[in-house]
Amino acid sequence: MKNKTLFLLFCIFICQMAGVAGSAFTFREIPTWYAGLVKPAFQPPNWLFGPAWTTLYTLMGISIFLIFKKLEDKKLKKKKRQEIKSLIILFFVHLVVNAGWSIIFFGLHELLLSFATIIVLWMLIAILILRFHNVDKVASWLLVPYLFWVSFASALNYSIWRLNL
């Protein structure tokens, strides 16, 4: 990793692109389909979601950058190097699930399936936090706000599904 700043920005960019992919299905549905749904009292204002997700995708990008950086260690044993590579793959699988939630919820209007998807996403984030902790504690802690937000989003998704049966 010769240019760390450039690679850090690239990692953040890749994570932000997961958000962009999901938002392609979100924006057009907010004033139409989503506006017509019954929502719980704890529904935050729509304007809050953009800044929250932008911040979280940035933290994710920094987190995966820190994990990638560990591969630079020349003393790293083959087994540990393989573990880190598998974590990187898991991270990108989780990003696909993350973007998939928006497609399922906003694109397909599948409230129950989106709830199942967000539970899978929550579990993947929890696994990443636990496994990143063994590689880089800061990378692990950077994902904690994301887990909290997805916990809240899970409750919101569940409530919207139940209110709109």
Side-chain angles (χ1 to χ4, degrees):
M1 217 181 304
K2 296 226 189 253
N3 190 332
K4 290 183 175 147
T5 303
L6 193 58
F7 190 68
L8 169 61
L9 293 173
F10 177 73
C11 289
I12 293 169
F13 174 77
I14 292 298
C15 292
Q16 294 291 344
M17 287 302 99
V20 169
S23 70
F25 294 86
T26 304
F27 287 128
R28 70 175 179 258
E29 297 297 329
I30 289 176
T32 57
W33 172 76
Y34 189 70
L37 293 174
V38 179
K39 294 174 211 63
F42 63 90
Q43 165 76 26
N46 289 339
W47 64 262
L48 181 64
F49 289 91
W53 278 111
T54 300
T55 302
L56 294 170
Y57 285 123
T58 300
L59 294 175
M60 284 182 241
I62 297 167
S63 179
I64 196 62
F65 168 77
L66 294 172
I67 297 300
F68 267 114
K69 265 183 53 177
K70 294 297 180 180
L71 290 174
E72 290 183 324
D73 184 351
K74 302 292 185 219
K75 298 177 196 159
L76 206 59
K77 293 189 173 162
K78 185 177 181 180
K79 185 177 180 185
K80 189 68 170 181
R81 186 174 300 281
Q82 200 54 41
E83 176 191 341
I84 292 170
K85 288 179 180 178
S86 72
L87 282 176
I88 291 168
I89 292 168
L90 181 62
F91 180 86
F92 287 105
V93 167
H94 126 274
L95 270 185
V96 170
V97 174
N98 175 302
W101 179 87
S102 294
I103 295 166
I104 295 165
F105 186 91
F106 287 102
L108 301 176
H109 304 167
E110 290 289 342
L111 301 176
L112 180 56
L113 183 57
S114 65
F115 178 65
T117 303
I118 206 167
I119 294 304
V120 170
L121 178 61
W122 189 96
M123 290 187 295
L124 288 170
I125 299 165
I127 291 167
L128 286 168
I129 289 169
L130 292 172
R131 295 201 47 212
F132 276 20
H133 193 76
N134 295 328
V135 176
D136 187 292
K137 289 176 183 31
V138 173
S140 175
W141 281 105
L142 286 170
L143 297 179
V144 171
Y146 178 33
L147 185 66
F148 286 146
W149 182 260
V150 170
S151 298
F152 172 75
S154 298
L156 186 59
N157 187 159
Y158 176 79
S159 297
I160 291 171
W161 167 62
R162 294 293 298 160
L163 290 168
N164 290 279
L165 287 175

